Amino acid sequence: MPYDLNQPPSGQHRPRRLPPLARGGTFLTIAALTVVTLSGCGGSSGPGAAPVPGGPEATGATASAAPSGSAPTGGAPGTPGKSGTPRPSDAKPSTPARGPLAGKVVVIDPGHNPGNFRHAREINQLVDIGTNRKECDTTGTSTNDGYTEAAFTLDVSHRLRTLLEKQGATVRFTQDDDRPFGPCVDERARIGNKAAADAVVSIHADGSGSGNRGFHVIHPALVKRGAADTTGIVAPSRELAERIAGKFVLATGSAPSNYVGGGTGLDERGDLGGLNLSTVPKVFIECGNMRDAKDAALLTSSQWRQKAAQGIAEGISGYLLG
């Protein structure tokens, strides 16, 4: 779930219809794919969803789920462990290979630091998100078996980094379990801005009610207030969201969210600091509802996580290459 995700006031949560997308000569209408029977990669808690510990309605470090600071491995489904070797998120990236994305900078924002649960006071501090003030961050959610969103987001982010670097992109992380907590939502936005990123993607999973399934990609609404001005990124961010949504469907077989976005796989938001304060194209992707048993079975599968990373990578590539 987005780290500063709360149900927005009326008029700020406006799902929009996704037009048919051309992908390699094949036209795809996301809304039509709601009939897909495979489980989807979820989104934010939808209307009427019951609040859950660590979910979008939670504040700060109130999650009761067993925390896990480790990213999952490529082992059997539901058996989290270490995934690769984390490297400092602010370290100079390895020299990218030649490829179609050479010269492009992508910032990956793994939602929620695994150490957040140890720092309730710090992550509950309010920060300016332009429209108002919100908590620095939250702990994130988890499956009913205790597999945390923080572990999931790091694993998918590592896989995504590998795929993008193979295409020549320079990839930076906002955090890689290399700091005690955070960064706060405002700092996450500044990291992408400072990197002059060509694209920023924030990786999340949701904590909505059981039965709510499917993925969605959150893109910024037009916000011009205080420190927030999304005027220059609304259009490119929406294009990035559409590209990722289209490729995510094809790579994972997952349907768009059945509780957010009206079946489009897209959700426009004006209440998220990570988007409001960004000056470069940025989106969030909610990859599944961790509180739904069927979605949880996907999220804890290393094979499915690889497909998720592939879909996101293809969407980013398609956006950057035009």
Side-chain angles (χ1 to χ4, degrees):
M1 76 194 68
Y3 35 76
D4 58 344
L5 179 59
N6 294 303
Q7 289 301 322
S10 176
Q12 285 191 335
H13 194 94
R14 302 188 302 275
R16 298 177 63 182
R17 263 333 217 194
L18 177 64
L21 302 177
R23 298 292 179 266
T26 300
F27 284 86
L28 168 68
T29 302
I30 297 296
L33 292 178
T34 54
V35 298
V36 176
T37 57
L38 294 177
S39 48
C41 190
S44 64
S45 293
V52 295
E57 299 82 8
T59 300
T62 58
S64 60
S68 169
S70 299
T73 68
T79 56
K82 274 292 179 186
S83 170
T85 303
R87 62 186 189 226
S89 55
D90 59 351
K92 183 178 180 180
S94 58
T95 302
R98 293 182 181 275
L101 299 184
K104 301 295 186 181
V105 177
V106 178
V107 170
I108 300 173
D109 178 27
H112 313 286
N113 187 316
N116 278 357
F117 75 96
R118 300 186 187 93
H119 295 272
R121 181 178 62 82
E122 291 89 346
I123 68 171
N124 275 312
Q125 294 294 315
L126 299 181
V127 298
D128 183 9
I129 67 164
T131 54
N132 61 304
R133 296 176 68 81
K134 283 190 176 180
E135 291 78 13
C136 160
D137 203 350
T138 69
T139 59
T141 189
S142 72
T143 66
N144 293 331
D145 292 332
Y147 176 42
T148 65
E149 181 183 3
F152 170 82
T153 63
L154 275 176
D155 181 82
V156 173
S157 295
H158 291 157
R159 296 170 187 270
L160 177 57
R161 176 171 63 190
T162 297
L163 292 169
L164 291 173
E165 288 185 339
K166 284 181 178 179
Q167 296 185 69
T170 297
V171 179
R172 300 182 186 276
F173 274 27
T174 58
Q175 63 90 15
D176 198 3
D177 195 12
D178 52 357
R179 53 188 290 165
F181 66 92
C184 296
V185 297
D186 56 340
E187 184 182 352
R188 288 173 185 260
R190 287 196 298 271
I191 290 170
N193 297 345
K194 184 177 179 180
D198 296 287
V200 183
V201 178
S202 192
I203 309 297
H204 288 270
D206 196 23
S208 187
S210 179
N212 290 340
R213 301 185 61 196
F215 77 93
H216 70 269
V217 187
I218 303 171
H219 57 98
L222 178 60
V223 175
K224 193 171 183 180
R225 178 179 169 189
D229 185 355
T230 63
T231 304
I233 68 166
V234 168
S237 295
R238 181 178 173 84
E239 181 184 350
L240 175 61
E242 291 173 351
R243 296 275 188 168
I244 291 175
K247 293 299 185 180
F248 199 85
V249 167
L250 297 177
T252 65
S254 297
S257 172
N258 65 4
Y259 62 104
V260 172
T264 65
L266 298 177
D267 188 27
E268 182 180 272
R269 298 287 297 270
D271 64 320
L272 300 177
L275 298 180
N276 289 353
L277 300 177
S278 183
T279 59
V280 294
K282 183 174 181 178
V283 299
F284 288 57
I285 180 167
E286 292 283 1
C287 290
N289 178 17
M290 301 194 104
R291 311 300 288 194
D292 177 83
K294 292 181 179 179
D295 265 11
L298 297 180
L299 297 168
T300 53
S301 163
S302 62
Q303 291 82 6
W304 188 89
R305 293 194 301 269
Q306 185 63 33
K307 292 177 182 179
Q310 185 68 46
I312 298 169
E314 290 177 0
I316 294 171
S317 299
Y319 167 76
L320 294 178
L321 297 176

